[in-house]
Amino acid sequence: MSTTLYIGNLSFYTTEEQIHELFGRCGDIKRIIMGLDKVRKTPCGFCFVEYYTRTDAEMAMRYVNGTRLDDRIIRTDWDAGFVEGRQYGRG
Amino acid sequence: KRRRTSENVDIEDRLESLISRVGEKSTSSLESNLEGLASVLEADLPNYKTKIIRILCECAVKLPEKQSVYTTLVGLLNAKNFNFGGEFVEMLVRQLKEMLKTEKFEEARLIVRFLGDLVNCRVIAAGSLLAMFDNFVEVTLEDNIPQVRSDWYVYAVLTALPWVGRELYEKKDMEFQKLLVTIDNYISKRQKIHVPALRVWSSDSPHPQEEYLDCMWAQVKNLRNNKWIEKQISRPYLAFDSVLCEALQHTLPQIIPPSHNEEVMYPLPTVVFRMFDYTDVPEGPAIPGSHAIERFLIEEHLSHIIKTNHLERKDCAAALLSFTMRNKIPLDYMICEVMFGHLFRLPTSPYMEIMVGSTLIELCKLQPKSMPLVLAQAAEMLYERLDTMKTTCIERFANWFAYHLSNFQFSWSWADWVECTHVNPLMPKPKFVAEVLHKCLRLSYHQRISNAVPESFSALVPVKPQARYKYADEGAGQLPGLMTAHRLLEVIKSKCTPEETLVVLKELPNPLADDTDEPSHHPLRIDVFVSTLLHLGAKSFSHSFAAISKFISVLKMLAENEEGQICLLKNMYEVWSTHPQMMVVLTDKLLKTQVVDCSAVANWLFSADMAPDFTKNYVWEIMHSTINKMSKHVEKLEKEAEEARDMLDAAKKKAADGLEYDDDDNVPTEEQVERMEERLELVQNQQKRLFLIIFQRFIIILTDHLARCESESVDYQTPWYKWVIERLQEVFLAHHNLVFQYIHTLESLLFTSDIDIHILEVFQQFCALRS
């Protein structure tokens, strides 16, 4: 069972800190991986949030999906789990 | 037993769906739906009786907001099939007994209420229900039991009376009066030491914060004065009176409360949360008074809707807004009060704070014309009452408010609160605003928050979070570690190994060596290394984590003992004092990687270096997360040790029975299990020590304060005192299950009769929660 969420529709300026603050309200976060532009290596609107437990990740799906961060309605989806390389979006 | 064929499964699923959905919004009337469903079920009874009974019993407990729909349905079925009614009651009673035995008190209370309503539906004889109530209330006469036990049994009876009071009054008035006299006697002699610990506000102005049983009893007495007639409960069975009055009734068997033992955990008492009265509602129907039974019934109904739907915030908001009698009550206000009541509930909130926050946002979306206004009014009122609000609740309020604002462009009429910028910044209002802005900052960024508030608020806006690397400051030339720090910076940047940093650090002299031959730790090495490492990782959490991970061996070596660990944490504070969130996550990381121990974190937070920040929320965020980490660790080891022990015992039993030993089972050896148990004992002791440290440090700083105020003849009730004594209270409440294990140790070691009464009171109130 995955404990990782894919978070989409983030602002390019949203930081790991902000994501931590919001998603940390649902449980203990293991790590956050910022999605980066392939070429420029700058944030490009998505990230992965991995929790220690499935329950905490479910809470985030329930209570954060469709609410605002940095004035944008963000989307959360289940993710199979992060593997190196997937942090790079289409440049 | 009949085999479940796929056809059976289909029908059973269909029955489940039909039953669980009856009473929901529908194009036809509830009465015709109930009549139709009763006929369908009657036809299915010969084949699916057990299943139907099971589903109905489940609905009684899981969908309490539709209780009278189900009692009516059972009534109709009983009228058609007397045996079914009997079996249903028998099953429900069996469940009740089971719930009481397994300490599922809320479920048990709902069954009691359901049984009461079955009297109205002519399924159960009034006299036998009264006999059960008598048995319950007799618990109040038992000796040597905690009050929470008798409280629960009385409460279970009282909360059923809005449903069945009228029937009992009409049919068994004498016996019913006797029952009420016994309850009245009990209510008047209860102790209420626990109340101050559970109140959201210390003041009764503008609204009394009443103990839950007192309030319930006042409401029931009013109901009695109204001849047991209320205006809130929908009673679909009234439409079927002609059918139901023909039915035969069942007699409840004797239901005797299981006797008390030390292990039983009864529900804790509560204090009723009130924030509105009729003067707060500008137009439309009035809010029922605080002692009107309708107030309780609406609150209970809304709470049940929340409980049923809390995992789906959109459903939850929609269900709340489609409350059955929404036009007869100021629904938005009632929802708001109940939601905040849950948010502020002590000792702990029943739901995650973000559940309340995100559901309130949904409510605003669904009801954009009224809900945002009601919420704004609520926030305004809560703000006005901050001076007497409990610290824990102020923090929850600030967290919610910042979160809410972050979903609404941070727009708020800040100018209305400008007065808070003129008073002592340690007072509740300016402190609340500062904490809200800090939390807003964490969800946003500095410029945004600075721009969101008027110029006059600038003193309350947090400074821009920045790492401070003192070895790059002007005037750093005076610092003894300067040269080494710069060299360290270079070698780490050129991707050195952990060992190579040790070589660089080696040249630093130990400032403690002057005073002692065997210094406990090396503050200068820790300073240079931690400052430099955190400076290099300052770009983000991930960068900091990576830096810590790479040099974890060096950190562990430098912070071998508690003194070293505290020193390390102090250096982290030097670097990151303007970035509380960074300190929160870094401390978390250092704990998880076992660079620092929980006790070191606690001692650090209480140290003189942290005094300037001691009343800030983030310090307590770290404290509670440290305690939680410790307890999770204990739980994990407990589980592992228990499982290993069980496996070993099972294997031994197998062997004793002459069964073959199976190598594949990975059965642990006796030695392994013992080692696990020793390890568990060790961390259990660490946990206990952590609490002892925290409480002891509280006692020291509070005693100091009280003594100083007395010697200087000044009032001890300063803002600082409020924050600190209420944080002490918070540690008790937030971790009440754990702290209760140590209550005897605490009583004999720390909270002894010779400490100041103000501190002792906090402990006594806590003890009274379960006495």
Side-chain angles (χ1 to χ4, degrees), chain B residues 27-95:
Chain B
T27 45
S28 40
S29 74
L30 176 61
E31 287 76 17
S32 72
N33 285 338
L34 276 170
E35 215 161 21
L37 182 57
S39 307
V40 169
L41 295 181
E42 188 198 9
D44 280 330
L45 276 182
N47 291 324
Y48 297 98
K49 188 165 64 186
T50 320
K51 178 73 183 174
I52 292 171
I53 290 178
R54 204 184 57 71
I55 298 171
L56 283 168
C57 283
E58 209 161 276
C59 290
V61 173
K62 292 212 173 125
L63 299 170
E65 66 273 25
K66 292 198 289 178
Q67 172 180 289
S68 55
V69 172
Y70 292 112
T71 51
T72 308
L73 183 60
V74 174
L76 292 173
L77 286 170
N78 182 56
K80 293 171 194 275
N81 185 331
F82 179 72
N83 283 338
F84 163 82
E87 281 182 49
F88 175 78
V89 170
E90 197 181 302
M91 180 71 178
L92 202 55
V93 168
R94 201 178 316 145
Q95 262 198 38

Side-chain angles (χ1 to χ4, degrees), chain B residues 440-460:
Chain B
C440 285
L441 170 72
R442 283 164 68 160
L443 287 163
S444 175
Y445 51 93
H446 190 258
Q447 194 60 42
R448 181 87 208 266
I449 300 311
S450 307
N451 293 345
V453 296
E455 189 63 35
S456 48
F457 281 70
S458 58
L460 298 177

Side-chain angles (χ1 to χ4, degrees), chain B residues 554-662:
Chain B
V554 183
L555 288 169
K556 282 189 176 175
M557 204 179 296
L558 291 171
E560 256 183 334
N561 52 25
E562 188 160 308
E563 286 90 344
Q565 294 171 13
I566 294 173
C567 178
L568 185 156
L569 291 163
K570 283 178 183 172
N571 281 296
M572 171 188 80
Y573 178 73
E574 264 193 17
V575 178
W576 281 121
S577 62
T578 57
H579 198 336
Q581 193 195 4
M582 182 64 96
M583 289 191 274
V584 172
V585 297
L586 286 180
T587 310
D588 186 84
K589 194 74 182 173
L590 294 171
L591 280 167
K592 278 179 185 150
T593 50
Q594 296 177 326
V595 173
V596 299
D597 294 329
C598 293
S599 53
V601 174
N603 275 319
W604 164 61
L605 293 175
F606 276 101
S607 69
D609 303 73
M610 291 303 285
D613 284 6
F614 195 62
T615 62
K616 290 187 180 169
N617 288 352
Y618 86 87
V619 165
W620 301 92
E621 191 181 345
I622 296 176
M623 189 80 85
H624 290 297
S625 117
T626 303
I627 297 173
N628 290 336
K629 211 146 283 139
M630 182 86 241
S631 71
K632 270 190 193 162
H633 189 50
V634 172
E635 270 169 38
K636 186 170 154 260
L637 295 184
E638 260 167 7
K639 202 168 152 244
E640 284 171 7
E642 209 172 290
E643 280 169 4
R645 173 59 71 193
D646 287 350
M647 258 171 102
L648 180 63
D649 288 350
K652 275 185 186 164
K653 220 179 139 208
K654 254 192 194 170
D657 292 348
L659 287 171
E660 221 164 283
Y661 183 76
D662 191 355

Side-chain angles (χ1 to χ4, degrees), chain B residues 134-324:
Chain B
D134 279 334
N135 287 341
F136 276 27
V137 168
E138 224 165 86
V139 170
T140 62
L141 308 174
E142 290 175 5
D143 290 325
N144 300 320
I145 55 154
Q147 182 170 292
V148 279
R149 170 175 164 86
S150 36
D151 277 0
W152 184 83
Y153 281 99
V154 169
Y155 190 64
V157 171
L158 287 180
T159 58
L161 292 183
W163 270 265
V164 71
R166 179 75 195 181
E167 275 294 300
L168 297 179
Y169 163 73
E170 282 176 1
K171 297 205 169 123
K172 298 274 165 193
D173 192 30
M174 290 271 287
E175 294 93 327
F176 189 28
Q177 286 313 319
K178 237 183 83 197
L179 178 85
L180 295 172
V181 169
T182 316
I183 294 177
D184 192 36
N185 286 337
Y186 174 68
I187 300 283
S188 63
K189 65 167 201 216
R190 292 173 67 235
Q191 65 88 0
K192 275 170 263 176
I193 303 168
H194 57 277
V195 174
L198 299 178
R199 294 171 64 124
V200 172
W201 287 289
S202 58
S203 158
D204 273 334
S205 159
H207 304 125
Q209 305 292 304
E210 288 180 286
E211 211 270 346
Y212 81 118
L213 254 191
D214 282 353
C215 183
M216 188 72 222
W217 180 234
Q219 288 163 332
V220 167
K221 278 198 291 191
N222 265 331
L223 179 63
R224 178 176 61 184
N225 295 341
N226 292 333
K227 301 258 181 280
W228 302 99
I229 293 172
E230 51 67 50
K231 299 190 258 254
Q232 200 54 47
I233 300 172
S234 76
R235 301 180 188 264
Y237 39 80
L238 295 178
F240 299 103
D241 194 45
S242 56
V243 184
L244 295 177
C245 71
E246 300 286 314
L248 292 172
Q249 288 153 55
H250 304 269
T251 304
L252 283 176
Q254 266 276 45
I255 300 168
I256 296 173
S259 53
H260 176 66
N261 70 63
E262 290 275 299
E263 311 276 284
V264 185
M265 294 270 285
Y266 300 96
L268 300 182
T270 55
V271 166
V272 181
F273 178 78
R274 296 266 187 254
M275 64 182 291
F276 294 124
D277 61 41
Y278 69 96
T279 60
D280 299 314
V281 184
E283 51 197 16
I287 201 164
S290 59
H291 285 169
I293 196 73
E294 286 78 12
R295 184 72 166 259
F296 166 77
L297 291 169
I298 298 166
E299 282 165 358
E300 196 190 31
H301 194 151
L302 292 172
S303 297
H304 283 151
I305 293 177
I306 295 169
K307 193 172 184 192
T308 304
N309 296 287
H310 73 278
L311 295 179
E312 290 295 339
R313 66 181 205 270
K314 290 185 182 177
D315 296 350
C316 189
L320 285 169
L321 291 173
S322 54
F323 186 76
T324 37

